[in-house]
């Protein structure tokens, strides 16, 4: 089926006169009576149209009745190409096509967009609604999750290691603005080791999705060699051991021998979010990446719970439903990990209604997961979730990052306050990583 022709014919037929805009809903009507395979072909065709370089092979290249209709468009673009692009965006948003999200973002970022956009009938009426709708697809929620992690980290660094009374004295209305500073003197909008290591994990997964450990490890080493101001002691020990021993398995065994039960810090949980974006409901790769530095059953269990909760949120589950998916028994889990998941499930019972005085936000992985989930379950917006998390104090940047990842997956990128996202110093890194991780997910789930 030549869907490029069918789309153009439908748009032409929907016009009441030559100078009237077509009705993009005519494209939606093409889906009537299609089976899954044909609908999938049409979906892919629409996604391919969302590109400044799209040219419909059947478009009329002759000048329109008024020559200026063609003026100012990108080279080779005819008005009918533009109408196909318009209809593709709106139809993709109506159908919730996750694959359309990043192409649409790229389109909006192009310098030529002010020329093209001014000629689209929906720019000021339906385009922003389309962007919001696509932001609640799995692809959009993935970007929201990474942004939530980064802004939670950047917000929390200011009050890292402060107790709650000290935070209230300094910020009587609560700490709500990205100011930087903190014990390591971060510039406003910078992120700490939480986001830096999550980016390292994400880049390693994108480079080697089938077996990411070595690629992730290379990024860990590069990061540590950049002399970052804030490095967790367990992560530093593991990376140093790898550089000495040449093997992540040996490095992990060294940490286990040195720390034993004290290897259950939150350094693996804080960076695990990219694995949930890439690998769907299977936390196996995430656990392997976590064990590179934190070989402990409670760390494994926290990662498994968080991973599966985020995955359910990315697919649109409500918070309580998503947490139930995260707390379900993990098929094939090692006995120690299975026991740790069960213990965590019991500990988290009634968490939403727990008073803040009974919630600790320390560096122990169980406390970090508990505090992040507490903030997430008690609020209904990303801003309130992250604010509640970081104002618990103590390991505020990590709890803020873990909670922000949950809230971003639940509420999408539009929920991130503009003043926070604009404050991030390396926002482009987050955008590119989110798209790369989504591409891994698409490939692994056979959607290419």
């Amino acid at each position: 089926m030549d869907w490029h022709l069918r789309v153009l014919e439908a748009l032409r037929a929907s016009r009441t006169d030559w100078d009237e805009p077509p009705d993009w809903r005519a494209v939606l009507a093409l889906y009537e009576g299609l089976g899954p395979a044909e609908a999938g072909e049409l979906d892919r065709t629409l996604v391919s149209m969302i590109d400044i370089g799209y040219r419909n092979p059947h478009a009329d290249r002759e000048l329109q009745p008024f020559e200026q209709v063609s003026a100012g468009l990108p080279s080779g673009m005819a008005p009918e190409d533009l109408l196909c692009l318009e209809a593709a965006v709106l139809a993709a948003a109506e159908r919730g096509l996750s694959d359309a999200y990043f192409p649409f973002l790229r389109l909006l970022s192009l310098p030529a967009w002010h020329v093209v956009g001014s000629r689209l009938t929906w720019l000021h009426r339906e385009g922003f609604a389309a962007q919001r709708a696509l932001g609640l697809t799995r692809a959009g929620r993935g970007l929201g999750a990474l942004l939530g992690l980064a802004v939670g980290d950047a917000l929390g660094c200011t009050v890292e290691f402060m107790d709650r009374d000290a935070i209230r004295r300094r910020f009587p209305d609560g700490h709500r603005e990205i100011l930087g500073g903190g014990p390591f003197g971060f510039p406003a909008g910078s992120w700490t080791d939480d986001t830096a290591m999550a980016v390292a994990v994400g880049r390693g997964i994108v480079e080697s999705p089938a077996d990411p450990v070595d690629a992730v490890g290379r990024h860990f080493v590069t990061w540590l060699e950049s002399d970052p101001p804030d490095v967790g002691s367990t992560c530093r020990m593991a990376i140093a051991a790898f550089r000495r021993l040449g093997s992540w398995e040996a490095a992990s065994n060294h940490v286990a021998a040195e720390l034993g039960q004290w290897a259950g810090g939150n350094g693996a949980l804080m960076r695990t979010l990219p694995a949930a974006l890439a690998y769907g409901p299977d936390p196996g790769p995430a656990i392997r990446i976590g064990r590179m530095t934190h070989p402990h059953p409670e760390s494994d269990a926290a990662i498994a719970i968080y991973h599966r909760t985020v995955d359910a949120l990315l697919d649109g589950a409500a918070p309580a439903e998503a947490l139930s998916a995260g707390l379900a028994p993990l098929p094939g889990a090692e006995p120690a990990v299975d026991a740790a998941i069960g213990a965590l499930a019991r500990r988290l019972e009634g968490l939403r209604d727990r008073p803040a005085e009974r919630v600790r936000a320390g560096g122990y992985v169980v406390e970090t997961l508990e505090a992040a989930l507490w903030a997430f379950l008690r609020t209904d917006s990303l801003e309130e979730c992250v604010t509640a998390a970081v104002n618990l104090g103590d390991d505020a940047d990590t709890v803020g990052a873990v909670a922000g990842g949950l809230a971003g997956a639940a509420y999408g990128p539009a929920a991130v306050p503009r003043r926070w996202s604009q404050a991030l110093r390396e926002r482009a890194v987050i955008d590119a990583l989110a798209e790369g991780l989504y591409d891994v997910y698409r490939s692994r789930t056979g959607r290419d």
Side-chain angles (χ1 to χ4, degrees), residues 149-408:
L149 181 151
V151 298
D153 183 13
L155 183 71
C157 76
T158 306
V159 294
E160 186 179 9
F161 304 142
M162 291 176 65
D163 64 38
R164 296 172 203 183
D165 290 338
I167 294 174
R168 282 192 288 267
R169 287 194 297 270
R170 182 175 173 186
F171 303 101
D173 297 324
H175 172 47
R176 307 185 71 91
E177 304 301 330
I178 292 178
L179 304 173
F184 299 100
F186 284 100
S190 295
W191 52 56
T192 77
D193 58 331
D194 302 85
T195 307
M197 294 197 79
V199 168
V201 168
R203 286 173 168 167
I205 289 172
V206 170
E207 290 171 14
S208 184
D211 188 6
V213 168
D214 287 340
V216 169
R218 287 194 298 273
H219 286 285
F220 284 174
V221 172
T222 299
W223 168 71
L224 186 64
E225 289 176 345
S226 72
D227 195 25
D230 183 13
V231 183
S233 59
T234 305
C235 289
R236 186 186 293 276
M237 176 188 293
I239 297 171
F242 168 78
R243 294 172 73 182
R244 187 174 67 254
L245 301 171
S247 159
W248 282 106
E249 182 179 2
S252 180
N253 291 337
H254 172 77
V255 172
E258 289 290 317
L259 298 182
Q261 64 174 328
W262 304 110
N266 59 19
L269 175 65
M270 73 184 190
R271 66 180 192 243
T272 196
L273 179 67
L277 275 55
Y279 293 115
D282 175 18
I287 291 172
R288 289 194 294 275
I289 293 168
R291 287 178 179 176
M292 294 167 66
T293 59
H294 289 70
H296 194 285
E298 287 182 325
S299 178
D300 294 350
I303 287 170
I305 291 169
Y306 187 77
H307 181 108
R308 293 183 295 164
T309 300
V310 168
D311 177 68
L313 293 170
L314 293 173
D315 281 339
E321 178 188 359
L323 181 56
S324 294
L327 294 173
L330 180 61
E334 298 171 7
V337 177
D338 185 59
I341 291 174
L344 265 169
R346 291 188 293 274
R347 176 171 177 145
L348 295 173
E349 289 178 359
L351 178 62
R352 183 185 182 281
D353 299 321
R354 196 169 300 171
E357 294 75 21
R358 291 180 53 204
V359 177
R360 292 176 55 85
Y364 173 37
V365 67
V366 171
E367 292 177 349
T368 297
L369 179 64
E370 180 180 53
L373 286 168
W374 177 85
F376 177 55
L377 294 172
R378 289 173 64 90
T379 56
D380 58 7
S381 74
L382 185 143
E383 181 171 0
E384 293 308 313
C385 171
V386 171
T387 301
V390 303
N391 281 278
L392 291 172
D394 205 349
D395 204 354
D397 57 331
T398 299
V399 174
V402 175
L406 292 165

Side-chain angles (χ1 to χ4, degrees), residues 3-257:
W3 288 113
H4 297 275
L5 177 59
R6 292 290 304 280
V7 167
L8 188 55
E9 288 176 338
L11 291 173
R12 286 170 174 168
S14 72
R15 282 181 160 179
T16 57
D17 204 347
W18 72 266
D19 61 347
E20 289 296 320
D23 186 352
W24 64 270
R25 293 173 182 81
V27 175
L28 287 179
L30 294 175
Y31 284 93
E32 294 177 7
L34 296 184
E38 286 186 308
E41 289 178 4
L42 180 50
D43 286 344
R44 288 188 289 275
T45 300
L46 294 183
V47 172
S48 74
M49 291 179 175
I50 306 174
D51 190 306
I52 200 75
Y54 175 71
R55 305 290 182 265
N56 192 307
H58 310 287
D60 185 355
R61 303 289 162 186
E62 298 297 323
L63 289 177
Q64 301 299 303
F66 296 102
E67 285 192 16
Q68 60 265 33
V69 171
S70 325
L73 293 179
S75 176
M77 178 177 274
E80 287 188 330
D81 300 323
L82 194 57
L83 296 175
C84 288
L85 187 158
E86 170 189 28
V89 168
L90 297 175
E94 185 74 16
R95 284 183 56 76
L97 298 186
S98 190
D99 291 357
Y101 181 66
F102 289 111
F104 188 38
L105 286 192
R106 284 196 299 276
L107 188 70
L108 294 179
S109 71
L110 293 173
W113 181 246
H114 72 282
V115 174
V116 175
S118 67
R119 298 176 180 275
L120 293 180
T121 61
W122 54 261
L123 181 64
H124 299 296
R125 296 185 292 107
E126 297 173 287
F128 297 117
Q131 189 173 359
R132 287 193 296 272
L134 290 172
L136 292 176
T137 62
R138 186 176 180 104
R141 290 176 190 271
L143 175 58
L146 287 178
L147 284 173
L149 181 151
V151 298
D153 183 13
L155 183 71
C157 76
T158 306
V159 294
E160 186 179 9
F161 304 142
M162 291 176 65
D163 64 38
R164 296 172 203 183
D165 290 338
I167 294 174
R168 282 192 288 267
R169 287 194 297 270
R170 182 175 173 186
F171 303 101
D173 297 324
H175 172 47
R176 307 185 71 91
E177 304 301 330
I178 292 178
L179 304 173
F184 299 100
F186 284 100
S190 295
W191 52 56
T192 77
D193 58 331
D194 302 85
T195 307
M197 294 197 79
V199 168
V201 168
R203 286 173 168 167
I205 289 172
V206 170
E207 290 171 14
S208 184
D211 188 6
V213 168
D214 287 340
V216 169
R218 287 194 298 273
H219 286 285
F220 284 174
V221 172
T222 299
W223 168 71
L224 186 64
E225 289 176 345
S226 72
D227 195 25
D230 183 13
V231 183
S233 59
T234 305
C235 289
R236 186 186 293 276
M237 176 188 293
I239 297 171
F242 168 78
R243 294 172 73 182
R244 187 174 67 254
L245 301 171
S247 159
W248 282 106
E249 182 179 2
S252 180
N253 291 337
H254 172 77
V255 172

